[in-house]
Amino acid sequence: FPTRRSSDLAIPEGLPAVVTTCLALGTMKMAKNNAIVRSLPSVETLGCTTVICSDKTGTLTTNQMSVCHVAVVGDQSRGRASLEEFSVSGTTYEPVGEFTLAETGETIDSSASASLIELSKGCTLCNDARVNYKADTGKYESIGEPTEVALRVLVEKINNDSVEAGLSPAVRSEYCNKTIESQFEKLATLEFSRDRKSMSTLVQETSTGEYSFFVKGAPESVLSRCSSMFISATGATIPLNRASIQTIQEAQERMSKRALRVLAIARISGAKALEKYDFSDPTRFVDFEQDMTFIGLVGMLDPPRMEVAGAIETCRQAGIREIGRASCRERV
């Protein structure tokens, strides 16, 4: 057969019209599934897709951070801290959830734990966020950073048994946090910095006049500046030794392996009055956050959306490989 050059090949006149029509029908079908396509060739590209790389926050997840794990020091045994670890139910901003022992699954009264009550003070006072209830939708929404909102919701769950019955959802959303805030006067806030990896607030207790610093931040940074720890069994403060630090670090690693975002909460009791501090130089904030008392660790997650599991399965059936955060794919 004679060889034909590409310039001799003829393209049917109706081919462009047919291709355009097919692509237009594809965009209409996608629009019915809430996927808007601005460029027709994008439909053809999607038909050839073999790998999807997806963002996590707000795409695969609900973008609603929630605390699901808490670790505090229950007691000290043989010179080493003995941790109490709790699982916390609830993955939305609704202030309802139960505390169960991570080891046995037994439900506990969180309001009876001295360490959890102390932890709730730090979560409330070292915080600038708010939780708001929208009556028209019947849902709770966040005002501020999702991480700080998750801590305020945790406070409501810790003090759940102490709340009076019959409160409206709007009042219930911030009842425990406002109760704690009414017991302290916030005098100064030392904003978060990447160098010290923490933020803190200077407060004064209204009943006693005592000054305190409450600190939250990255566990490795906060723990390195702690010299004591709060014991839940007795409500006392005892020195923090190297063995106890290792125990706390091991708990942090276990939480991190579950892809949880982990924060440490600490306190400096008996701090000096505000006029004794010079907060004009942010590089010196770390000097004020020394000799702290470790209270506990909180681990939080951004739960996956309900429809993510089905979407991933559909991709696999179509021969498309998905690449997202491994922990999120494991959960779904």
Side-chain angles (χ1 to χ4, degrees):
F1 296 95
T3 303
R4 301 179 63 180
R5 294 174 298 178
S6 58
S7 58
D8 297 332
L9 298 178
I11 298 176
E13 294 181 0
L15 182 59
V18 172
V19 171
T20 302
T21 302
C22 292
L23 295 178
L25 292 174
T27 60
M28 292 176 61
K29 187 174 182 179
M30 294 178 65
K32 292 179 181 179
N33 290 277
N34 300 321
I36 305 301
V37 179
R38 292 185 298 177
S39 176
L40 287 180
S42 299
V43 179
E44 183 180 4
T45 303
L46 287 174
C48 302
T49 299
T50 57
V51 178
I52 294 179
C53 299
S54 174
D55 183 29
K56 179 184 74 71
T57 304
T59 303
L60 295 177
T61 66
T62 61
N63 198 22
Q64 287 190 338
M65 297 291 290
S66 60
V67 175
C68 65
H69 199 89
V70 177
V72 296
V73 181
D75 206 341
Q76 181 173 261
S77 176
R78 298 180 180 179
R80 179 186 288 265
S82 176
L83 297 186
E84 292 179 345
E85 298 189 45
F86 307 99
S87 297
V88 187
S89 63
T91 57
T92 66
Y93 294 145
E94 184 178 4
V96 177
E98 291 185 343
F99 281 73
T100 56
L101 289 172
E103 189 173 338
T104 63
E106 177 187 356
T107 302
I108 61 109
D109 179 6
S110 55
S111 60
S113 171
S115 288
L116 290 179
I117 295 299
E118 191 73 6
L119 185 79
S120 66
K121 295 177 183 178
C123 291
T124 294
L125 298 173
C126 200
N127 200 312
D128 294 319
R130 289 291 183 272
V131 180
N132 184 39
Y133 176 76
K134 297 195 70 175
D136 55 342
T137 61
K139 295 182 179 180
Y140 295 85
E141 63 176 12
S142 63
I143 303 176
E145 292 293 330
T147 299
E148 294 192 340
V149 174
L151 296 179
R152 292 188 75 89
V153 175
L154 175 67
V155 173
E156 300 297 328
K157 294 178 180 179
I158 290 176
N159 298 274
N160 189 38
D161 294 337
S162 63
V163 177
E164 300 176 4
L167 295 176
S168 66
V171 176
R172 179 70 183 87
S173 63
E174 287 274 298
Y175 182 84
C176 299
N177 283 279
K178 289 183 178 179
T179 300
I180 294 174
E181 289 172 337
S182 67
Q183 299 170 355
F184 295 86
E185 180 184 358
K186 188 180 291 188
L187 303 176
T189 299
L190 280 62
E191 298 294 344
F192 175 87
S193 69
R194 294 182 179 179
D195 296 329
R196 74 186 203 281
K197 298 180 181 179
S198 61
M199 73 161 289
S200 59
T201 55
L202 175 65
V203 299
Q204 182 180 21
E205 193 166 355
T206 54
S207 60
T208 63
E210 181 184 10
Y211 293 89
S212 298
F213 264 111
F214 280 96
V215 185
K216 78 169 186 289
E220 64 275 9
S221 178
V222 172
L223 199 57
S224 66
R225 288 176 273 144
C226 287
S227 58
S228 59
M229 57 185 178
F230 187 86
I231 302 296
S232 182
T234 60
T237 299
I238 64 174
L240 179 65
N241 55 30
R242 184 170 299 179
S244 297
I245 291 177
Q246 183 179 355
T247 300
I248 296 171
Q249 289 175 336
E250 289 172 355
Q252 175 201 345
E253 291 175 3
R254 289 195 299 271
M255 296 164 72
S256 298
K257 287 180 179 179
R258 296 173 52 192
L260 302 182
R261 181 177 185 182
V262 186
L263 293 178
I265 307 295
R267 178 176 183 170
I268 306 175
S269 300
K272 299 176 182 178
L274 179 63
E275 57 267 17
K276 299 294 183 180
Y277 294 103
D278 180 14
F279 296 141
S280 60
D281 184 6
T283 61
R284 294 194 57 206
F285 286 175
V286 69
D287 297 336
F288 307 129
E289 299 173 353
Q290 300 293 332
D291 295 326
M292 299 186 291
T293 299
F294 172 80
I295 300 175
L297 300 174
V298 294
M300 58 189 71
L301 60 81
D302 189 359
R305 295 180 180 273
M306 295 285 292
E307 60 271 23
V308 169
I312 291 178
E313 183 60 30
T314 300
C315 289
R316 290 173 178 172
Q317 292 176 359
I320 300 174
R321 184 165 62 96
E322 80 288 346
I323 299 177
R325 187 165 180 171
S327 61
C328 186
R329 286 159 46 200
E330 289 171 1
R331 291 195 188 101
V332 299

